[in-house]
Amino acid sequence: MKRQKQTYLGYLFLFLWLLTGFAGEVQAQRALKHRTGQLTADSIRMKHVTDSLALLDTLSLQRQQQIDALEAPVDTAALASQSDSIQKAAQKKVKEKWIPNSNKSVWLALAIPGAGQIYNRKYWKLPIIYGGFVGCAYALTWNGKMYKDYSQAYQDIMSDNPNNNSYMDFLPASTTPEEVQKNLASYQERFKKKKDTYRRYRDLSIFAFIGVYLLSVIDAYVDAELSDFDISKDLGMKLEPAVFNDAFRNRPQGVGLQCSIKF
């Protein structure tokens, strides 16, 4: 019985010893984990501190560079060259639009018909101008020829020479010289009117030719003058009510409608 109690006590001490050792081991593992975590946290904090210092150094370097750039001396030669390049580019853009000289255009148009339009680069006007000249030249030639023929016929019918009978070419084929002699005064008046008519047409053709020439000169001058005329895109008409004042009494005279045009 006594031996059994000693055996139980031995098992009890052995159990307590094992329990104590297990608890110590657990405590040691917890301490180790705690130390490991503490060291890891410290390393993270140190890393954050290092990154912050590096960021501060970078910002300080950038600020210093900006200050140095502001305090650096200005290169006037570079600025002048840049300004010259900008001015040349602006002048090049302006030169892209052709602006003719009105005086030169007029002198060219006076010297050669149509040369002013060629100088102004309005080539589409050349067929109109030269068409007018061709039409006037044809009218002048035709009317001049008809006037010359009727003048000769009138001279022949007014003469007493029976061999001068060119006027018969202008009469119907059934007309005979005897019939002409019977109504001589009537035929003389007819040929006189025809002669005067074609002379008037010839003179009008000459004036038309000169008119086309002068119109080509005026067109060249006006076109050159209006080549740089700025026409705003804001074109419109606006109607709005308005109060009209009396200029003498300085008081409202009436109400009406006011029209304003933008151009």
Side-chain angles (χ1 to χ4, degrees):
M1 187 69 181
K2 188 175 181 180
R3 186 176 295 175
Q4 290 180 354
K5 289 182 179 180
Q6 291 178 355
T7 302
Y8 291 151
L9 290 174
Y11 286 148
L12 181 59
F13 282 119
L14 180 60
F15 176 75
L16 292 174
W17 181 75
L18 291 173
L19 184 62
T20 304
F22 180 75
E25 186 177 358
V26 171
Q27 187 69 24
Q29 289 179 358
R30 286 183 178 177
L32 180 60
K33 290 180 180 180
H34 180 70
R35 285 196 301 272
T36 305
Q38 185 69 29
L39 291 174
T40 302
D42 292 340
S43 63
I44 292 173
R45 291 194 187 95
M46 290 296 294
K47 186 176 181 180
H48 286 333
V49 171
T50 305
D51 293 340
S52 300
L53 291 175
L55 181 60
L56 289 174
D57 292 339
T58 304
L59 293 175
S60 299
L61 181 60
Q62 291 178 353
R63 289 177 181 176
Q64 186 63 35
Q65 290 177 354
Q66 292 176 357
I67 293 172
D68 294 339
L70 292 174
E71 292 180 353
V74 179
D75 192 356
T76 56
L79 291 176
S81 62
Q82 185 178 4
S83 177
D84 293 338
S85 62
I86 293 173
Q87 291 179 358
K88 289 180 180 179
Q91 291 177 358
K92 186 177 180 181
K93 290 182 179 179
V94 172
K95 289 181 180 179
E96 289 178 355
K97 182 181 178 181
W98 171 248
I99 301 177
N101 187 353
S102 59
N103 293 329
K104 188 175 181 180
S105 178
V106 168
W107 285 113
L108 287 173
L110 288 172
I112 303 174
Q117 283 72 26
I118 296 174
Y119 172 72
N120 294 336
R121 299 182 181 180
K122 296 300 177 62
Y123 307 106
W124 62 272
K125 296 181 179 180
L126 293 178
I128 301 174
I129 294 174
Y130 287 114
F133 280 122
V134 171
C136 292
Y138 177 77
L140 178 61
T141 304
W142 170 260
N143 292 318
K145 181 178 179 301
M146 294 301 293
Y147 169 70
K148 183 178 179 181
D149 292 341
Y150 272 98
S151 294
Q152 185 64 40
Y154 177 70
Q155 291 177 4
D156 291 344
I157 201 173
M158 293 296 293
S159 67
D160 297 331
N161 189 355
N163 295 324
N164 297 334
N165 58 354
S166 61
Y167 56 86
M168 295 298 296
D169 297 334
F170 299 94
L171 296 176
S174 59
T175 305
T176 61
E178 291 76 10
E179 185 178 353
V180 173
Q181 292 299 323
K182 290 180 181 179
N183 301 309
L184 183 61
S186 176
Y187 281 102
Q188 288 177 349
E189 185 66 22
R190 182 187 302 180
F191 278 96
K192 182 177 183 300
K193 289 181 178 179
K194 286 288 186 179
K195 175 182 68 71
D196 294 340
T197 299
Y198 282 106
R199 182 181 63 183
R200 184 170 62 253
Y201 287 165
R202 183 200 62 179
D203 296 341
L204 289 176
S205 300
I206 295 173
F207 286 118
F209 194 93
I210 296 173
V212 173
Y213 174 75
L214 293 178
L215 282 176
S216 66
V217 176
I218 295 172
D219 175 76
Y221 175 77
V222 173
D223 198 2
E225 283 290 330
L226 297 180
S227 59
D228 58 345
F229 185 72
D230 187 14
I231 300 177
S232 176
K233 295 181 179 180
D234 187 11
L235 300 176
M237 182 177 66
K238 184 178 180 182
L239 295 174
E240 56 184 1
V243 178
F244 299 98
N245 296 324
D246 190 351
F248 298 99
R249 294 181 294 178
N250 196 16
R251 56 186 299 182
Q253 185 178 4
V255 179
L257 195 63
Q258 182 179 2
C259 175
S260 59
I261 301 175
K262 291 183 179 180
F263 59 92

